[in-house]
Amino acid sequence: MSANADRSEYFSKHLFRTGIECPTKLYYYRQDFQQNKQSIPFIRHAVLNKRLLKSLARSAYSRGQYIEGNSVSESALLTSKYLQQDDIVLFD
C-alpha cells in the first residue's frame, strides 16, 4: 500500500459492509484504487450523521450499556454477560 500508507490493516465494520455489498469494491479498496473525490464530502457528512445518531440513541435509551473492552475477547465476554439479562440495550 504505497499511495495511502495511513490506511488501517484492520477489517473494519465499514469494510465488512462494503464487502457484503460488493466484493469488487473491497478488492479495489485494498489495491489503493483512487476513490471518487466527489464522494468525500458525502462520506464526511455521513460520519457526522453517524455520531449524531449514536448520541440520539444513547439519550433515548439512557439505561443502555456501552461495551468498553480493552480487547475483542474482553468485549465479547462483557457482551455475553449483558445478554444474559432479559431486557438490555447495548451500544457498540
Side-chain angles (χ1 to χ4, degrees):
M1 286 205 261
S2 59
N4 291 324
D6 62 335
R7 285 192 178 177
S8 175
E9 293 293 321
Y10 296 105
F11 193 64
S12 65
K13 288 188 267 185
H14 169 73
L15 290 178
F16 176 76
R17 281 182 255 152
T18 300
I20 294 293
E21 178 186 322
C22 179
T24 304
K25 287 182 183 179
L26 192 59
Y27 170 80
Y28 282 113
Y29 179 84
R30 187 68 180 143
Q31 299 299 320
D32 288 331
F33 190 78
Q34 187 67 14
Q35 296 181 12
N36 184 350
K37 291 191 184 289
Q38 292 176 338
S39 66
I40 291 174
F42 172 75
I43 292 170
R44 287 188 182 135
H45 184 69
V47 169
L48 174 66
N49 284 342
K50 184 177 178 182
R51 287 189 202 131
L52 292 173
L53 183 60
K54 282 183 177 183
S55 296
L56 179 64
R58 288 185 184 134
S59 66
Y61 297 98
S62 59
R63 291 182 28 222
Q65 296 294 324
Y66 182 76
I67 304 296
E68 287 187 271
N70 294 328
S71 66
V72 173
S73 58
E74 184 181 344
S75 297
L77 185 64
L78 286 169
T79 301
S80 296
K81 181 183 119 185
Y82 284 124
L83 288 176
Q84 299 302 316
Q85 299 176 16
D86 289 335
D87 187 24
I88 188 69
V89 175
L90 299 176
F91 299 113
D92 289 309

